[in-house]
Amino acid sequence: QGQLVESGGGLVQPGGSLRLSCTTSASISSFALMGWYRQGPGQQRDLVARLDYVGSTTYADSVKTRFTISSDNAKNTVYLQMNNLKPEDTAVYYCSAERTFPRLVYWGQGIQVTVSS
């Protein structure tokens, strides 16, 4: 099963950096898509960054100049490097893994990122 565990969140000042990690119980190569989403209180869960099985990436417009998604397949881990963080980046961040045929989506438990002075 696609068990996902996030780590690396916390409190950071505006302009600072964090790196989130998502470790999977299965090989990353077994998923069609890996992604990072975020959700604030009363908000929907929105895409932050996405990585497909051939290495193509997609970013939300609000983060594409500041965030980078990458993977280390040997460690079964996907990363989200977040630079120049802003208060509006404050949210719970979730790792997602997707399989197809049929479509199945797995979610991590979520990890808090707070950007504040």
Side-chain angles (χ1 to χ4, degrees), residues 33-34 50-59 69:
L33 294 169
M34 299 293 300
R50 184 171 62 208
L51 175 69
D52 74 11
Y53 75 105
V54 297
S56 297
T57 58
T58 302
Y59 297 94
I69 187 171

Side-chain angles (χ1 to χ4, degrees), residues 14-82:
S17 298
L18 287 173
R19 188 180 73 166
L20 304 183
S21 298
C22 173
T23 300
T24 67
S25 59
S27 173
I28 290 177
S29 64
S30 69
F31 298 104
L33 294 169
M34 299 293 300
W36 287 96
Y37 292 72
R38 65 188 182 188
Q39 185 174 23
Q43 304 294 314
Q44 65 180 357
R45 191 173 298 182
D46 293 328
L47 175 70
V48 176
R50 184 171 62 208
L51 175 69
D52 74 11
Y53 75 105
V54 297
S56 297
T57 58
T58 302
Y59 297 94
D61 287 343
S62 60
V63 308
K64 63 182 179 182
T65 61
R66 300 181 293 120
F67 291 10
T68 303
I69 187 171
S70 62
S71 66
D72 185 338
N73 288 7
K75 296 181 179 179
N76 288 343
T77 300
V78 175
Y79 303 98
L80 184 67
Q81 178 67 45
M82 304 185 293

